[in-house]
Amino acid sequence: MANSDSSSSSNLKNILSIPYSIKLDRGNYRLWKSLVLPSLRGHNLDGYIFGTTKYPQEFIIDETGKKNTPTFVYWTSTDQLLLGWLINSMTQEVTTQLLHYETSQQIWEDAQSLAGAHTRLRITFLKTEFQRTRKGGLKKEEYLTKMKEIADNLALAGSSVSIMDLITQTLAGLDNEYNPIVVKLSNKENLTWVEMQAQIFYL
């Protein structure tokens, strides 16, 4: 047990030293999770957030009386440090909604639930923006960048847009002066995003 505790303690110290490159906010749960979870798994600490590192027996009774078991003391200290690390990896806006949790598993599960609610709202907003965006007064590069960013944000939110749908919607948002190129590209098979951009820039 001593060797296991020593290894886990070393793993925890390692992960606590990892800087937060991305903090969890209302719209980036999938990205945040993709960065946090590999760190936890790589240091064998994911069992705490998934509940597979079981809560140990809390007390033992011997000739000196009732006292905490060494495994319980270690489990609690490790879980609390991990809980603090997770809280510090979140923005203040998210943290204030999750302050009442006492274990890393609880905050992990409710961060996921909270993100799910926010994500559904964000997907609805992004889909509406994706369908309504038009070039209008935007420069070519600004319009193309905006459409790609919306598609990328939808993918991060868990609602990916196919390249064909991105191309179709982007062409639909162009002004009438682009009609000749829209007709030409609409009839082209296996059109890529890069090819479409090149054709628009050459116009």
Side-chain angles (χ1 to χ4, degrees):
M1 181 65 188
N3 289 337
S4 176
D5 285 355
S6 176
S7 175
S8 296
S9 178
S10 176
N11 288 340
L12 186 59
K13 289 178 181 178
N14 288 336
I15 197 171
L16 289 175
S17 67
I18 297 175
Y20 310 110
S21 57
I22 296 291
K23 286 205 169 192
L24 177 64
D25 60 28
R26 287 179 177 270
N28 70 347
Y29 174 77
R30 286 169 63 87
L31 177 59
W32 174 82
K33 180 181 177 181
S34 74
L35 297 172
V36 169
L37 191 53
S39 294
L40 296 178
R41 284 175 170 161
H43 291 87
N44 296 317
L45 293 168
D46 54 309
Y48 287 88
I49 62 170
F50 293 133
T52 54
T53 301
K54 298 298 184 181
Y55 189 86
Q57 178 183 345
E58 185 171 354
F59 297 107
I60 56 173
I61 299 176
D62 58 19
E63 63 276 4
T64 63
K66 184 179 180 181
K67 59 184 179 182
N68 291 126
T69 64
T71 52
F72 171 77
V73 172
Y74 177 78
W75 187 96
T76 301
S77 63
T78 300
D79 186 70
Q80 290 302 293
L81 287 171
L82 188 54
L83 173 63
W85 184 80
L86 288 171
I87 290 174
N88 282 323
S89 73
M90 302 172 181
T91 61
Q92 183 176 346
E93 181 183 19
V94 172
T95 301
T96 53
Q97 300 180 61
L98 301 172
L99 283 177
H100 58 287
Y101 294 110
E102 298 181 352
T103 69
S104 59
Q105 182 182 4
Q106 289 173 339
I107 200 169
W108 179 267
E109 291 176 348
D110 266 46
Q112 185 173 22
S113 298
L114 181 64
H118 292 323
T119 297
R120 287 189 291 274
L121 291 173
R122 181 164 174 77
I123 288 174
T124 299
F125 169 79
L126 288 171
K127 282 185 175 180
T128 300
E129 186 179 22
F130 184 67
Q131 294 166 357
R132 291 182 177 178
T133 297
R134 297 291 182 268
K135 179 183 177 299
L138 296 174
K139 296 179 180 178
K140 294 177 184 179
E141 59 271 23
E142 291 174 340
Y143 172 63
L144 294 172
T145 297
K146 183 173 183 179
M147 292 299 291
K148 186 63 166 60
E149 284 180 347
I150 297 173
D152 289 344
N153 286 332
L154 277 167
L156 286 174
S159 182
S160 297
V161 175
S162 70
I163 291 298
M164 184 53 64
D165 286 343
L166 173 58
I167 290 173
T168 299
Q169 192 61 42
T170 301
L171 292 176
L174 292 171
D175 303 326
N176 290 337
E177 64 183 281
Y178 292 89
N179 282 347
I181 196 68
V182 170
V183 172
K184 176 184 176 182
L185 295 179
S186 296
N187 294 324
K188 183 176 175 58
E189 295 184 2
N190 301 318
L191 179 65
T192 69
W193 175 250
V194 173
E195 289 174 330
M196 185 209 69
Q197 290 184 91
Q199 291 292 327
I200 291 175
F201 279 126
Y202 288 151
L203 185 64

